[in-house]
Amino acid sequence: MGTLAVFNHVTVDGFFAGPRGEIDWVKMIRKDNDYEAYTHGQSQSGATLIFGRTTYDMMKSYWPTPDAIKSDPGMARVVNESPKIVFSKTLKSVKDEPSWKNVTVLHDIEPADIVRRKKEASTGLTILGSGSIVQQFAKVGLIDEYHLVVVPIVLGDGKPLFKNVGNTSLELVQAKSFKNGIVLLTYRPA
């Protein structure tokens, strides 16, 4: 059975997005060769990528573009070729386009058995961004690992990653710091 992991950037004060959903603060991450090597290594896992509608639209508008392919060809290849699941109540279907293939639309995580069956049939699933999807999956106990990239910035206001999740004990598996100030914290449910 595959694992279901979260890979998400959060601010020091625990937000995954600003108050209106903005993530422009992620662009403030200073370049760090070790951090880039780490993220590129993690992207080779072959996991199915999971998005909510907002993250899906953002990723689709960037990764298949010539700019993305030129800027980061390895990551663009992984993101563009990986199987993808989009959870959306409003998106009815997606067409496989030449540069954005392997997309499945699901309209609800309930029943959670659908996601459990996908975990059993996969080498792994990774939620990228998509704070509301993280919250929904965490509430029903579907997440096996949290990879939280703590960005050294304080927003003061925004969308908290674990809003309405409830009391959840986590076990620290790994803590890794990078020269650009980022700290990667990996947790599993205790």
Side-chain angles (χ1 to χ4, degrees):
M1 177 193 290
T3 59
L4 176 56
V6 169
F7 187 87
N8 213 330
H9 291 82
V10 294
T11 62
V12 170
D13 47 351
F15 299 117
F16 72 92
R20 290 171 297 287
E22 62 274 22
I23 59 166
D24 54 346
W25 52 271
V26 175
K27 294 178 185 174
M28 298 175 75
I29 297 173
R30 293 187 321 271
K31 184 170 175 55
D32 181 299
N33 292 335
D34 290 338
Y35 177 67
E36 285 190 25
Y38 175 81
T39 58
H40 283 77
Q42 291 297 303
S43 71
Q44 304 302 316
S45 70
T48 297
L49 305 178
I50 297 177
F51 311 110
R53 171 70 183 265
T54 301
T55 303
Y56 168 76
D57 287 342
M58 180 189 65
M59 299 286 269
K60 184 179 178 182
S61 73
Y62 177 70
W63 285 110
T65 67
D67 285 344
I69 293 166
K70 181 180 178 186
S71 173
D72 196 339
M75 189 66 79
R77 181 184 44 74
V78 168
V79 174
N80 291 330
E81 293 177 9
S82 293
K84 294 167 270 300
I85 298 172
V86 182
F87 283 91
S88 174
K89 293 186 184 306
T90 58
L91 186 65
K92 300 301 176 204
S93 67
V94 293
K95 296 178 182 175
D96 276 350
E97 298 173 2
S99 58
W100 198 253
K101 297 181 181 203
N102 303 319
V103 180
T104 302
V105 177
L106 297 177
H107 300 288
D108 201 347
I109 70 161
E110 293 299 333
D113 289 343
I114 293 170
V115 177
R116 285 188 183 93
R117 283 194 305 273
K118 291 207 175 284
K119 277 174 63 171
E120 289 171 4
S122 75
T123 58
L125 304 163
T126 301
I127 303 170
L128 295 178
S130 307
S132 64
I133 300 300
V134 172
Q135 293 162 11
Q136 292 175 64
F137 281 32
K139 283 181 191 178
V140 294
L142 289 173
I143 298 175
D144 300 307
E145 286 187 350
Y146 296 88
H147 301 265
L148 304 178
V149 179
V150 181
V151 179
I153 187 170
V154 174
L155 291 182
D157 189 17
K159 295 185 176 191
L161 183 59
F162 295 107
K163 183 178 181 179
N164 299 322
V165 169
N167 191 340
T168 305
S169 291
L170 300 175
E171 174 186 5
L172 181 65
V173 176
Q174 179 185 25
K176 182 169 177 53
S177 61
F178 297 90
K179 292 177 185 170
N180 61 359
I182 282 179
V183 178
L184 171 71
L185 300 173
T186 303
Y187 291 99
R188 288 189 187 124

